[in-house]
């Protein structure tokens, strides 16, 4: 059933859009299973090899995906640096592109600017801190990565429609 639902059949043990190394792997796998002398370890090994081939194919950049790749790398850096104060200029320098290219590619891939995405990541952290601590709002703004209490309050108000100090007791 699984083979049929994926478009594979005994006579055609591969999906044509899948890369050649995977097609070769499927043919080899089918050949081994036809021998009916495979041990219980072989299917598990084959599955891991299959996942490895597919992962390599899925992670390979497709032609024309440079902008998408740039946006994905940018987002990955932002997500992995949640504890630091990384800004758009630092991101652009780290990725060796100019600020406009970074903005254009990120917005095209995710529908928001990298600055707005950074602010949303920081707001998530601020909301957690507002719920879990009694720290002053200024300190929470700083711990969340905002350089200014006023900017934090403005971004918070724009996102939630109320100030951080009003929001805190509601949670």
């Amino acid at each position: 059933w699984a083979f049929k639902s994926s478009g594979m059949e005994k006579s055609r043990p591969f999906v044509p859009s899948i890369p050649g190394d995977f097609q070769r792997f499927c043919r080899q796998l089918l050949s081994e299973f036809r021998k009916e002398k495979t041990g219980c370890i072989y299917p598990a090994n084959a599955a891991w090899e299959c996942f490895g081939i597919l992962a390599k194919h899925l992670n390979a950049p497709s032609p024309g995906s440079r902008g998408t790749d740039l946006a994905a790398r940018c987002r990955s850096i932002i997500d992995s640096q949640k504890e630091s104060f990384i800004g758009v200029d630092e991101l652009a320098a780290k990725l060796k592109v100019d600020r406009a290219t970074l903005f254009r590619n990120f917005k095209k891939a995710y529908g928001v600017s990298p600055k707005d995405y950074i602010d949303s990541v920081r707001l998530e952290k601020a909301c957690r801190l507002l719920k879990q601590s009694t720290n002053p709002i200024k300190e929470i703004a700083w711990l969340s990565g905002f350089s200014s209490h006023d900017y934090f309050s403005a971004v918070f108000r724009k996102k939630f429609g109320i100030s951080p100090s009003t929001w805190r007791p509601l949670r």
Side-chain angles (χ1 to χ4, degrees), residues 41-90:
I41 299 296
Y42 185 78
N45 234 4
W48 282 112
E49 188 174 343
C50 174
F51 292 140
I53 292 169
L54 288 175
K56 184 176 83 177
H57 173 67
L58 293 173
N59 291 329
S62 59
S65 69
R66 187 183 179 316
T68 305
D69 182 48
L70 174 66
R73 287 185 296 142
C74 177
R75 185 170 177 172
S76 175
I77 291 169
I78 294 167
D79 290 343
S80 68
Q81 306 256 332
K82 287 182 182 178
E83 302 303 317
S84 69
F85 303 114
I86 195 157
V88 177
D89 292 330
E90 293 169 274

Side-chain angles (χ1 to χ4, degrees), residues 6-169:
S6 68
M8 295 184 201
E9 298 172 12
K10 283 186 178 183
S11 62
R12 194 186 63 179
F14 60 88
V15 178
S17 64
I18 293 181
D21 53 348
F22 187 71
Q23 293 173 11
R24 282 188 295 283
F25 170 76
C26 288
R27 285 189 189 103
Q28 178 188 357
L29 184 63
L30 188 60
S31 168
E32 290 296 319
F33 279 117
R34 284 185 179 145
K35 292 178 186 175
E36 294 182 20
K37 293 182 181 180
T38 58
C40 61
I41 299 296
Y42 185 78
N45 234 4
W48 282 112
E49 188 174 343
C50 174
F51 292 140
I53 292 169
L54 288 175
K56 184 176 83 177
H57 173 67
L58 293 173
N59 291 329
S62 59
S65 69
R66 187 183 179 316
T68 305
D69 182 48
L70 174 66
R73 287 185 296 142
C74 177
R75 185 170 177 172
S76 175
I77 291 169
I78 294 167
D79 290 343
S80 68
Q81 306 256 332
K82 287 182 182 178
E83 302 303 317
S84 69
F85 303 114
I86 195 157
V88 177
D89 292 330
E90 293 169 274
L91 280 169
K94 197 172 225 180
L95 294 167
K96 296 178 175 62
V97 295
D98 63 283
R99 186 181 167 97
T101 300
L102 182 63
F103 264 79
R104 184 176 54 255
N105 287 295
F106 197 91
K107 181 122 179 160
K108 184 178 179 185
Y110 298 111
V112 296
S113 73
K115 177 65 178 144
D116 289 342
Y117 184 73
I118 290 170
D119 285 347
S120 71
V121 168
R122 290 175 178 168
L123 282 174
E124 283 177 33
K125 183 173 184 179
C127 288
R128 276 194 310 278
L129 291 171
L130 285 167
K131 279 183 193 178
Q132 299 168 353
S133 76
T134 57
N135 294 353
I137 304 293
K138 272 187 176 184
E139 189 174 331
I140 288 175
W142 184 81
L143 289 170
S144 301
F146 289 93
S147 57
S148 141
H149 169 264
D150 294 334
Y151 181 68
F152 166 64
S153 294
V155 171
F156 195 96
R157 188 180 301 275
K158 182 179 177 187
K159 171 88 174 178
F160 299 110
I162 57 175
S163 70
S165 55
T166 305
W167 186 88
R168 178 183 250 168

